[in-house]
Amino acid sequence: MAGYDVVTFGETMIRFSTAPGERLETATTVEIGIGGAESNVAVALARLGRRVAWASVLPRNPFGARIAGELRRHGVDTTHIHWVDQGRAGVYYLDTGAAPRPTQVLYDRAGSAIAVCNPEDIDPALATRGRLLHLTGITPALSPSCAEITRRLLTAGTAAGIPVSIDVNYRSRLWTPKAAAETLAPLCSEATILFCGRNDAGTLWGLSGSDEEVARGLAERFDPAVTVLTAGADGALALTRDGTIYREPAVPVDVIDRVGAGDAFAAGFLHGYLDGDVALGLRLGVRLAALKMTVRGDLAVLSDDDIAACLADAGSSHTIVR
């Protein structure tokens, strides 16, 4: 029997962000948090009551302790972290914007402990301990060893019949569209659930047209059981292998912080999918994404009341169990 609902692997960084109206160039104080696509998903799922394990490589120093401790506080199992005595945690800096000035992100993650790790540091059998394995296109971009670990986890999961969700999550600061498309294509071809943003589908694979046409293009190319296309303010849609299309408009929101909204969406969708309901997953995904944007930081730190209202609005009968 699976020990977890979801297992995931990736890098989590320390986040330094300016307060609204401040610039990194002149700020005298910054807010400290953590952020990483896979752990953002893990936290949101844990707060929904799911059993989630997050694996990574972290240094034994205060930043490593901060990352692991914060994830544990939100209910994520961190016992599969590989700890190293040398190395560093990745860092990113958020120069918080306000219209018309965009928010800018500066990365300092090269040579982080996870990027220079040995592929043997993570046991691929971990993939078989969950009901679902969640991976993103960010991790393979970090280094050849991270790409190898991702492939090993994917291979172990699919060999055991474990559903795999892959979020393309293209990052132009990490690699070129050509390199990303070539590396991610074989991974996406093994996905049970494929998440892809409308812009990423165009950048990596030249897909264009209506959202339905883009989703069908992804489905024809990779043949996942479910293709999920996100389109920002235009909402999201899901296309199942039998040709059924589900659509969900975005929820109006007063945005405080957009970072992590896509991860909250993925968590909401996976929550519904684990209950066997694609339509519910889509409804819950857009609602969790909207709620996340009302919270500063990467993590969807939502109260039980927030989540209960969100579940009820999406039509879920699921009860949060802690």
Side-chain angles (χ1 to χ4, degrees), residues 21 31 59 76 86-87 98 101 114 120 129 143 169 184 193 202 250 253 286 305 320:
E31 297 176 357
V76 176
Q86 303 295 324
R101 176 173 58 84
I114 191 172
E120 303 299 326
R129 297 189 56 186
S143 68
N169 231 330
L184 295 181
I193 304 166
V253 59
V286 297
D305 287 343
I320 302 171

Side-chain angles (χ1 to χ4, degrees), residues 86-271:
Q86 303 295 324
R88 61 187 293 266
V91 176
Y92 87 93
Y93 302 87
L94 199 72
D95 199 342
T96 307
R101 176 173 58 84
T103 294
Q104 294 182 318
V105 176
L106 301 175
Y107 286 122
D108 181 16
R109 66 198 305 182
S112 64
I114 191 172
V116 301
C117 72
N118 186 318
E120 303 299 326
D121 291 343
I122 302 295
D123 183 0
L126 175 63
T128 68
R129 297 189 56 186
R131 293 175 55 199
L132 182 141
L133 171 66
H134 179 68
L135 301 169
T136 80
I138 297 174
T139 306
L142 300 178
S143 68
S145 60
C146 284
E148 179 61 22
I149 293 171
T150 302
R151 284 191 291 267
R152 291 183 181 187
L153 288 166
L154 179 62
T155 298
T158 54
I162 304 297
V164 179
S165 66
I166 294 181
D167 190 344
V168 171
N169 231 330
Y170 173 64
R171 293 290 185 268
S172 61
R173 291 182 177 88
L174 295 178
W175 51 359
T176 66
K178 183 175 184 294
E182 290 177 352
T183 300
L184 295 181
L187 305 181
C188 292
S189 294
E190 297 293 328
T192 309
I193 304 166
L194 178 62
F195 295 100
C196 189
R198 180 171 59 192
N199 291 340
D200 288 352
T203 299
L204 300 190
W205 295 293
L207 298 173
S208 60
S210 68
D211 289 348
E212 181 178 328
E213 289 170 331
V214 173
R216 290 192 185 281
L218 289 167
E220 290 170 3
R221 184 179 293 263
F222 301 117
D223 193 34
V226 186
T227 303
V228 183
L229 186 77
T230 56
D234 292 327
L237 68 80
L239 169 65
T240 57
R241 191 175 281 150
D242 65 6
T244 303
I245 292 181
Y246 302 88
R247 304 175 189 274
E248 192 66 24
V251 174
V253 59
D254 291 331
V255 177
I256 299 297
D257 191 339
R258 295 183 185 278
V259 180
D263 304 321
F265 171 87
F269 184 87
L270 293 177
H271 185 70

Side-chain angles (χ1 to χ4, degrees), residues 51-112:
R51 299 163 298 157
V52 189
W54 174 79
S56 190
V57 180
L58 288 177
R60 296 184 191 278
N61 64 26
F63 282 164
R66 170 67 183 262
I67 290 167
E70 189 154 349
L71 295 181
R72 283 195 300 271
R73 183 168 67 84
H74 292 293
V76 176
D77 187 323
T78 61
T79 57
H80 303 283
I81 292 172
H82 179 79
W83 292 93
V84 294
D85 293 323
Q86 303 295 324
R88 61 187 293 266
V91 176
Y92 87 93
Y93 302 87
L94 199 72
D95 199 342
T96 307
R101 176 173 58 84
T103 294
Q104 294 182 318
V105 176
L106 301 175
Y107 286 122
D108 181 16
R109 66 198 305 182
S112 64

